[in-house]
Amino acid sequence: MSVLALSGGIGGAKLALGLYRVLPSEALTVVANTGDDFEHLGLSISPDIDTLLYTLAGIDNPDTGWGRSGETWTFMAALETLGGETWFKLGDGDLATHIERTRLGISARLLPMTDDRVRTRLRTEEGWLDFQDYFVRRRSAPVVRNIIYTGASEARANPDFLAALAADNLEAVVICPSNPFLSIDPILSLPCIKDALRACDAPVVAVSPIIDGKAVKGPTAKIMSELGLPTGAAAVAQHYADILDIYVADEADADEIAGLGIPVRLTHTLMLTVDDREALARAVLAAVSRVF
């Protein structure tokens, strides 16, 4: 048995942890978005990979959803006194991760979507912005007009990602409740990935990142509105329509998603606790087994 999850950072990592805790050891493969990656202070920064890494290892910061628990900031304080750039925070422990990553005892496979350079860029009312400039430096404030994934059309999907999609024992592909445009679309923009998902024998199930018209965290609803899309769970399902077999949404959205034309399962999708994450993971896997 194996399950493949596509994920961005905070929201996706919560469900990834739930899947990791309820599935058999080593049954989970998580493919992480790398469109958020950038170079900073001479280091290669991979925010979504590290959020997943810390979450699955049980050392994530529960207050922020990103970074390490019990982080210290001596490096950043020293950098500030030298007049260095401090708009992107790297804690002391996080800095060590960026210098030399380890698996931290995780039995799940955590894969970058590609080893090639893909960068998410946003055309805003202020002009084109790199993802981290938009998301961290500008705190998602500028109005978004368009989003592109530079380098994606030439990038090669991670070969282990493609192998996982073709595996005989694959039972489900789970699109975690990450931002569809900033976290999942960079993965789907890689050549052949949508075709591989459509050809995959396992069902593809997506979990809505929207509850009652609002994003749990981050600018998902804001971006949808700015791109002229309805800010609802149904719009997210329609965004994935060409690859989707099952959709899991919150019970609060029952009326909105009626008549989608694909199998829908309603459950409690807000993940405030570890128990919530495990419960949603079980609901997602149960939805797959009931339909297929």
Side-chain angles (χ1 to χ4, degrees), residues 180-181 208-210 224 229-241 247 256-257 260:
F181 312 96
S208 174
I210 300 289
M224 292 176 74
L229 299 171
T231 56
V236 175
Q238 290 160 357
H239 184 72
Y240 294 136
Y247 192 53
E256 183 193 339
I257 62 173
L260 269 182

Side-chain angles (χ1 to χ4, degrees), residues 57-215:
I59 60 172
D60 58 306
N61 186 329
D63 297 323
T64 62
W66 54 267
R68 296 173 61 125
S69 178
E71 188 62 275
T72 56
W73 303 96
T74 303
F75 168 75
M76 292 305 298
L79 184 65
E80 186 172 16
T81 65
L82 296 172
E85 292 187 72
T86 59
W87 61 271
F88 189 90
K89 303 295 185 184
L90 284 173
D92 301 329
D94 197 36
L95 181 64
T97 299
H98 285 87
I99 292 174
E100 185 169 349
R101 287 181 171 84
T102 66
R103 288 189 60 177
L104 299 175
I106 297 169
S107 59
R109 287 198 302 169
L110 176 55
L111 306 174
M113 65 185 197
T114 178
D115 290 326
D116 295 326
R117 182 186 178 94
V118 176
R119 297 292 183 264
T120 298
R121 302 196 73 222
L122 302 96
R123 183 169 65 84
T124 74
E125 58 185 349
E126 300 176 4
W128 284 100
L129 294 175
D130 292 335
F131 175 80
Q132 297 299 342
D133 284 332
Y134 166 79
F135 189 67
V136 178
R137 192 194 296 268
R138 298 288 288 112
R139 299 186 180 184
S140 306
V143 174
V144 175
R145 302 302 187 197
N146 190 26
I147 305 173
I148 62 172
Y149 314 103
T150 61
S153 60
E154 297 82 30
R156 295 159 297 179
N158 187 308
D160 289 337
F161 178 12
L162 294 175
L165 280 172
D168 291 338
N169 66 340
L170 182 64
E171 296 198 5
V173 178
V174 179
I175 300 177
C176 292
S178 299
N179 187 306
F181 312 96
L182 301 181
S183 296
I184 301 301
D185 277 0
I187 303 174
L188 300 180
S189 69
L190 296 172
C192 302
I193 290 302
K194 281 194 172 184
D195 288 342
L197 286 166
R198 285 188 285 263
C200 178
D201 289 336
V204 178
V205 52
V207 180
S208 174
I210 300 289
I211 299 176
D212 197 21
K214 301 180 180 64

